[in-house]
Amino acid sequence: MGFFDSLKRDNKQTPTVNNEEIAPVEQETAPSPQIQDPEEIEVHVREIEAPTIDPVPSKPLKTFKEKAPVQHVVGHTKIIAIINQKGGVGKSTTAINLGAALGEMGKQVLLVDLDPQGNASSGLGVDKSLIQQCIYDVLLNDVPLEEVIIPDISEGLDIAPATINLAGAEVELVSEMARENRLKDAVGGMRGRYDFILIDCPPSLGLLTVNALVAADKLLIPIQCEFYALEGVTKLLESMKRVKSRLNPTLDIYGILLTMYDSRTTLSKQVVDEVRDYFGRLVFSTPIPRTVKLSEAPSFGQPITQYDPKGRGSLSYIELAKEVIARG
Ligand SMILES: Nc1ncnc2c1ncn2[C@@H]1O[C@H](COP(=O)(O)OP(=O)(O)OP(=O)(O)O)[C@@H](O)[C@H]1O
Ligand SMILES: [Mg+2]
């Protein structure tokens, strides 16, 4: 299946379903046992008791004033939005782990969590219940970005966290003046203080994403190695072109990142070929493999470079960081 088939699929109508054609599905699960005796009930309850999970110790929240001194002169700041309106393609995983890898390689990095789900924040061990102000307050309450930044969440990495409050921003921004420029104004003030500012975008093309498109110098688009990989990419590229022509003339694609690559499947290889055919040299040569460790790390509040430093996931994000530094 070629890219243009994917485009056609983007525009296809949702098929109408005739209820009469749907055959009843036979129940496959075993019926639950009939329990009469209260004692027996207790035994069953004990059997299914949830496993205890040790809570992730929350990292102490420092303020920007307590940030460790920067060891090098920061040159030109590159603002990169990690973007794809398709959900679950590895945006937050990439924001966390690319950010941490760059930080460990001596760069100063700010991760801006622009997703109300706050996955990048919790994945780095930020206890959202302790946060009083988040990126929402920067966008809507004129709070300076510095006041919400938690410095040194990992080596060389600071984060501007998101909480669920940010969910309101999508609606509240609509009636605001200069609503598309809010993030640009905020992160623009940080140029010269970081080598990289990474923006973790939400899975939509709403006003938050438009803010990221206006604020960013370049886009990093993660594409998951699975069927329908390119679904929605045309819409994203259209949004990019619209913002480029009206609000951010220098906006361009920085790189395409293949994620959740499984070398054992022909599907993964087909997707890699198809994406490379279409995007050519824009595709990073490092694909990120699908590994259990990468999916486990966020629940320990650690980037993969700390959780499993020698594993394939960690090594691939370090390789990606090298490519990013080389691209400049
Ligand atoms: N390379 C990988 N190997 C295994 N699991 C992965 C990998 N990358 C991401 N995941 C897992 O896949 C899920 C989706 O990843 P992630 O949250 O990074 O995607 P996302 O694009 O940010 O999602 P959303 O659109 O909801 O913000 C998560 O559970 C994550 O742990
Ligand atoms: Mg995410």
Side-chain angles (χ1 to χ4, degrees):
M1 179 161 320
F3 177 70
F4 291 100
D5 296 314
S6 318
L7 301 194
K8 279 185 227 145
R9 226 185 5 258
D10 276 359
N11 298 326
K12 80 173 178 209
Q13 301 291 317
T14 314
T16 48
V17 179
N18 180 352
N19 284 341
E20 287 166 19
E21 285 173 9
I22 302 174
V25 180
E26 275 179 34
Q27 184 153 2
E28 286 177 9
T29 47
S32 48
Q34 299 293 316
I35 303 166
Q36 308 290 341
D37 180 355
E39 271 182 27
E40 209 185 319
I41 292 175
E42 212 188 300
V43 170
H44 274 79
V45 169
R46 255 189 264 121
E47 270 172 13
I48 58 167
E49 244 172 40
T52 48
I53 298 172
D54 291 335
V56 180
S58 54
K59 294 186 183 159
L61 298 184
K62 287 206 286 183
T63 65
F64 196 65
K65 289 194 188 88
E66 297 165 293
K67 181 173 166 55
V70 177
Q71 301 295 333
H72 67 288
V73 178
V74 171
H76 182 71
T77 304
K78 180 139 273 167
I79 304 178
I80 301 172
I82 301 174
I83 194 164
N84 188 341
Q85 82 277 20
K86 199 161 189 261
V89 298
K91 295 180 287 295
S92 304
T93 304
T94 300
I96 292 171
N97 296 310
L98 174 60
L102 287 168
E104 288 174 26
M105 290 162 85
K107 298 295 173 188
Q108 275 295 312
V109 186
L110 172 65
L111 199 174
V112 177
D113 190 348
L114 199 63
D115 184 352
Q117 299 177 97
N119 294 149
S121 307
S122 47
L124 281 166
V126 175
D127 182 347
K128 288 185 246 169
S129 67
L130 300 178
I131 293 175
Q132 277 157 20
Q133 291 180 317
C134 79
I135 195 75
Y136 166 87
D137 300 280
V138 175
L139 298 177
L140 280 139
N141 294 337
D142 292 326
V143 169
L145 184 54
E146 274 179 30
E147 284 186 23
V148 307
I149 289 176
I150 304 168
D152 311 318
I153 194 83
S154 172
E155 187 182 340
L157 178 64
D158 297 356
I159 185 165
T163 66
I164 191 63
N165 288 354
L166 186 60
E170 204 73 78
V171 174
E172 290 167 45
L173 276 170
V174 172
S175 55
E176 294 285 321
M177 298 269 290
R179 56 191 187 184
E180 294 96 351
N181 292 310
R182 294 294 171 107
L183 186 65
K184 179 189 175 156
D185 295 345
V187 294
M190 289 291 162
R191 282 194 193 271
R193 295 166 93 164
Y194 291 98
D195 298 292
F196 294 95
I197 298 180
L198 305 178
I199 306 170
D200 183 25
C201 293
S204 76
L205 287 174
L207 261 177
L208 284 172
T209 300
V210 171
N211 262 269
L213 288 169
V214 175
D217 298 321
K218 301 277 176 238
L219 305 181
L220 191 162
I221 306 176
I223 291 184
Q224 189 182 344
C225 297
E226 47 117 54
F227 204 61
Y228 293 143
L230 287 160
E231 190 180 49
V233 171
T234 14
K235 260 213 172 105
L236 173 59
L237 298 183
E238 278 164 21
S239 299
M240 182 186 93
K241 279 188 195 136
R242 258 201 309 279
V243 171
K244 186 177 163 87
S245 66
R246 289 198 235 134
L247 296 159
N248 187 1
T250 54
L251 183 65
D252 257 318
I253 299 178
Y254 181 66
I256 306 289
L257 177 66
L258 293 153
T259 62
M260 301 188 222
Y261 176 73
D262 186 343
S263 58
R264 294 165 305 180
T265 68
T266 41
L267 178 61
S268 265
K269 288 184 189 132
Q270 278 168 1
V271 172
V272 170
D273 290 346
E274 202 172 330
V275 172
R276 285 198 200 284
D277 275 353
Y278 189 72
F279 288 103
R281 291 166 58 112
L282 281 174
V283 184
F284 289 107
S285 36
T286 319
I288 304 299
R290 180 185 284 281
T291 76
V292 174
K293 296 280 185 193
L294 273 170
S295 59
E296 284 172 357
S299 56
F300 292 87
Q302 288 181 332
I304 195 69
T305 45
Q306 285 166 30
Y307 179 66
D308 182 34
K310 300 261 176 323
R312 287 186 305 136
S314 177
L315 297 181
S316 63
Y317 272 107
I318 290 168
E319 280 309 306
L320 175 66
K322 286 184 192 159
E323 278 195 66
V324 164
I325 291 170
R327 278 188 195 196

